Amino acid sequence: MRKKSMLLVLSAMLAFVLVLSACSDQSGSNNNQPSPSADSGSASEKPSEAPPANEEPTEITIMLPLNIAETPPDTIKTELEKLTNTKLTYQFFPADTYEEKLNASFATGSLPQVTYLKNQATFIKFKEAIRDGQFWEIGPYLSEFENLGKLKESILNNTKVDGKIYSLYIGRPLARQGLIYRKDWADNLGLSAPQTTEDLFAMAKAFTEDDPDKDGQDNTVGLTDRNDLIYGAFKTLSSAFGTPNNWGEKDGQLLPEFMFPEYIETMDYMKRLRDAGYMNKDFAATSKTDQVNMFQSGEAGLYIGSMQDVNSLYNNLVKNVPTAEVATHNKITKPGGEFGIWAIPGYNNVVLFPKSAIKTEDELKKVLAFFDKMMTPEVANLMYWGIEGTHYTVVDGKAKEMDDKDKIEREVKGFKDSVIGEPETNGQYTGYHELQARIDAEKFIIENEPVAIHDPTAPLDSATYTEKGQELQKIITDATYQYIYGDIDKAGFEKAIEDWKSRGGQKIIDEYTAAYKANQ
């Protein structure tokens, strides 16, 4: 495949959005948080091999997206070079336009030795170039490195291309979704944490109709939601009803989630909430900013999404309602159902190693040795938390950020988003929290992992899905909103499914089913 041809393909799909990529949506506050199930003693405490004193530093150029306004100073880079015996050149580019830079650099053969992608969607787009031999296959080398060999096999499997490993991954907790609610409102009304979807419905009703803030005014609503069927309320509620995660197996083939009856149940449930006025009726046109503001202003009492959002929600809420209390909760099921929660593939981004920049196997091994050192507690903590005493302190064996949040974001954030692995594999500290709702959230996230509902297509490929995924998904997204709003009925939704199938969806089903059976 010629690079020029690849550029055209990538540019044509620039707007493509993968279901789990929105680490675009969650990549803001959530990506700053460590995995809760970490064991900081599980990785070696020092680099596996200290470089000889007279060894020349390895020169490495690294390209990666920047999720803050300005390029970070060299505070962390200088310390990183000392710990890893490297001379590093970081090429930071704004995340909003990062894919354009990736495409242009690929087309001109100017990608550096270490190339971070933007998210899982970008990874999908680059699989054609990976198959074409433009990037190093690194799987055979991982066992040669003590720390790289600790990366989770299950997550590495989700990054494979045709059964081979070409990338290292930036790990994320599998399932962070749950409920954040106004505990003071619940206490005022004598309500406990909801166990079923009907309990949740009753709480939304009471929060709307029963004056939960006791101010004598009709000025509250139950659920606040936004125009996002994935990281908003819909997909988490869908898990409560037992819907598969994106795709599920039925009668020997893989089918999309919206072809399962549980998806219809979820739409019916949200339609009931909306029709009754127990949530913001214009949720399909509500941004995340406006959704969050409804909770933080004291207007809404239920927020369904990442439980790690609770810190920022609470901190801003008490500015407006000083007496407010919040709580987090998981394990909500439909009556008689079993608890499960949808999961991401365990990573939010990957890093590739272009053959155009790394010419020899020896050079590749030197670059991989840098990442092996990155996966030691000393280096991982430096890159994720910063310098102890300057950016964080250690309390009860956990990292507690210093009060100067602006300094931490300016100096550390740019590097934090590039750390390979997760605390269980690289030994970095988990975060220290004082808010009980956040402490509970971390516990719930651990509890979510064993019952996580995985997407069976995560390690699979469908050429048609890659080509037409966004276009076809819009058919279903629009139909889902129309159903909940009452603009179409079940027959209308089924018609949308037939439209999806006729325009390429059936081909996606066939391709994913064939790939799934081949992997059995």
Side-chain angles (χ1 to χ4, degrees), residues 471-484:
E471 170 194 341
L472 295 179
Q473 183 58 42
K474 190 176 186 303
I475 297 171
I476 302 303
T477 298
D478 290 346
T480 300
Y481 286 131
Q482 289 166 359
Y483 186 99
I484 295 171

Side-chain angles (χ1 to χ4, degrees), residues 43-44 46-50 60 83-84 141-151 168 353 364-380 420 425-426:
S44 60
K46 296 180 181 178
S48 40
E49 281 187 31
I60 303 175
L83 290 174
T84 59
Y141 303 102
L142 296 184
S143 62
E144 298 180 23
F145 298 92
E146 178 182 355
N147 298 308
L148 292 180
K150 296 174 183 176
L151 288 168
L168 301 176
F353 306 93
L364 174 66
K365 288 185 177 183
K366 288 182 179 179
V367 174
L368 291 177
F370 164 71
F371 282 96
D372 189 62
K373 292 167 188 171
M374 187 192 294
M375 285 189 63
T376 60
E378 186 177 18
V379 179
I420 299 301
T425 55
N426 62 29

Side-chain angles (χ1 to χ4, degrees), residues 257-320:
E257 60 185 355
F258 50 83
M259 292 180 68
F260 286 79
E262 293 84 359
Y263 191 95
I264 303 291
E265 289 184 64
T266 309
M267 292 195 297
D268 286 335
Y269 181 82
M270 286 200 70
K271 188 176 187 304
R272 283 176 60 206
L273 279 172
R274 183 181 178 276
D275 288 349
Y278 302 154
M279 65 180 293
N280 52 316
K281 286 199 170 186
D282 62 345
F283 78 97
T286 301
S287 67
K288 182 175 183 180
T289 299
D290 290 339
Q291 176 206 22
V292 165
N293 285 341
M294 286 183 67
F295 191 93
Q296 293 176 166
S297 68
E299 179 183 356
L302 299 167
Y303 177 98
I304 298 175
S306 170
M307 291 182 287
Q308 291 178 330
D309 287 346
V310 70
N311 289 79
S312 59
L313 289 174
Y314 173 76
N315 290 337
N316 289 307
L317 171 63
V318 293
K319 293 176 184 177
N320 299 308

Side-chain angles (χ1 to χ4, degrees), residues 56-251:
E56 286 294 316
T58 301
E59 295 188 15
I60 303 175
T61 301
I62 302 169
M63 176 179 170
L64 70 170
L66 184 66
N67 292 297
I68 54 177
E70 298 180 2
T71 299
D74 288 346
T75 310
I76 302 301
K77 183 174 85 82
T78 299
E79 295 302 313
L80 179 60
E81 289 176 330
K82 293 177 185 176
L83 290 174
T84 59
N85 192 35
T86 53
K87 183 177 180 181
L88 304 173
T89 300
Y90 276 91
Q91 298 177 347
F92 289 101
F93 297 98
D96 289 346
T97 57
Y98 190 70
E99 282 191 284
E100 296 174 18
K101 182 62 182 178
L102 271 177
N103 295 345
S105 298
F106 177 82
T108 57
S110 57
L111 289 175
Q113 297 146 292
V114 175
T115 300
Y116 283 80
L117 301 186
K118 182 180 179 182
N119 50 38
Q120 295 165 26
T122 316
F123 184 36
I124 293 288
K125 298 174 192 176
F126 266 84
K127 285 188 176 181
E128 182 183 352
I130 291 171
R131 290 190 178 96
D132 198 44
Q134 312 240 0
F135 296 92
W136 283 91
E137 180 192 352
I138 62 170
Y141 303 102
L142 296 184
S143 62
E144 298 180 23
F145 298 92
E146 178 182 355
N147 298 308
L148 292 180
K150 296 174 183 176
L151 288 168
K152 294 182 179 180
E153 183 178 358
S154 60
I155 300 176
L156 286 172
N157 285 339
N158 286 339
T159 71
K160 285 182 176 179
V161 178
D162 298 336
K164 298 177 181 179
I165 298 171
Y166 294 84
S167 59
L168 301 176
Y169 68 83
I170 294 88
R172 290 293 179 267
L174 284 175
R176 299 182 281 198
Q177 311 308 112
L179 173 67
I180 300 171
Y181 68 98
R182 286 288 297 272
K183 186 178 184 302
D184 55 326
W185 286 10
D187 290 344
N188 286 342
L189 300 175
L191 299 174
S192 57
Q195 303 304 306
T196 70
T197 50
E198 289 307 303
D199 293 339
L200 181 65
F201 191 92
M203 180 176 277
K205 180 178 187 292
F207 280 5
T208 305
E209 297 180 345
D210 296 345
D211 191 22
D213 56 2
K214 300 303 181 184
D215 68 351
Q217 300 181 46
D218 182 15
N219 57 0
T220 60
V221 70
L223 174 66
T224 174
D225 197 24
R226 64 181 184 268
N227 56 353
D228 187 338
L229 294 177
I230 303 166
Y231 292 100
F234 185 85
K235 194 169 180 67
T236 299
L237 289 172
S238 188
S239 292
F241 282 96
T243 311
N245 181 7
N246 300 329
W247 290 75
E249 183 180 6
K250 185 176 182 180
D251 299 330

Side-chain angles (χ1 to χ4, degrees), residues 477-498:
T477 298
D478 290 346
T480 300
Y481 286 131
Q482 289 166 359
Y483 186 99
I484 295 171
Y485 272 51
D487 296 333
I488 62 173
D489 57 11
K490 186 176 180 181
F493 188 76
E494 290 174 347
K495 183 179 179 181
I497 293 176
E498 291 304 313

